[in-house]
Amino acid sequence: MTRNSLARAAAAALLGIALSTPTLPALADVKDYRFQLVQEEAKVGDAVLAVRLLDKRTGKPVTDAVIFAKRLDMAPDAMEEMATKVEQLPSTEPGTYRFKAHLGMQGRWRLSLAAKVQGETGTVEDKLIVQAKK
């Protein structure tokens, strides 16, 4: 076998291996996820806010995410210093995350969330606006 023939045989073998190896699924990016309010309005006073974490590629809810940062304030109405405590509650359905808070007055409240999705690197972050009404 000549040197040229060996090179062609090696190239053909490598191409065969490459074509026969199953491709791995593309990894998701944290930008492929978003939070969505279940209801965009809540009553002034004690409220339970529910959000879904969705995979934007499939539209399906993401279960078992770890929510580790949450803040609720009135930044949309230029009162960012008007913040309230947010307590996470147990989920009632897969992919839905619930939070208890006291909405002290009417207006727009910004719910800021950060989460880790299992199997993904990075942090999913989102800001949602809830309208508090009497």
Side-chain angles (χ1 to χ4, degrees):
M1 235 182 196
T2 66
R3 195 178 212 179
N4 229 2
S5 298
L6 282 174
R8 274 189 245 143
L14 288 173
L15 181 61
I17 291 169
L19 292 175
S20 66
T21 303
T23 58
L24 297 173
L27 295 177
D29 186 271
V30 291
K31 294 179 186 117
D32 291 329
Y33 301 95
R34 71 179 178 97
F35 283 100
Q36 174 188 60
L37 286 167
V38 172
Q39 292 185 323
E40 295 182 4
E41 292 183 358
K43 287 198 169 226
V44 170
D46 291 334
V48 174
L49 307 174
V51 299
R52 285 185 198 96
L53 179 57
L54 299 174
D55 183 330
K56 293 192 281 188
R57 298 165 300 161
T58 63
K60 293 184 179 181
V62 176
T63 59
D64 300 326
V66 177
I67 312 295
F68 65 89
K70 46 205 170 284
R71 177 179 166 84
L72 187 62
D73 60 43
M74 290 195 76
D77 287 345
M79 293 184 278
E80 191 167 356
E81 69 283 351
M82 179 76 153
T84 189
K85 183 180 173 187
V86 179
E87 177 187 338
Q88 190 163 352
L89 299 173
S91 178
T92 56
E93 60 185 87
T96 299
Y97 302 87
R98 299 175 344 124
F99 306 95
K100 179 177 154 184
H102 182 78
L103 305 176
M105 62 186 292
Q106 279 188 188
R108 294 176 297 160
W109 290 79
R110 176 181 66 185
L111 178 60
S112 302
L113 297 169
K116 291 286 188 185
V117 174
Q118 291 190 19
E120 303 295 345
T121 56
T123 301
V124 177
E125 297 181 63
D126 216 337
K127 296 178 188 323
L128 308 169
I129 306 300
V130 176
Q131 180 70 44
K133 296 187 172 189
K134 286 191 177 194

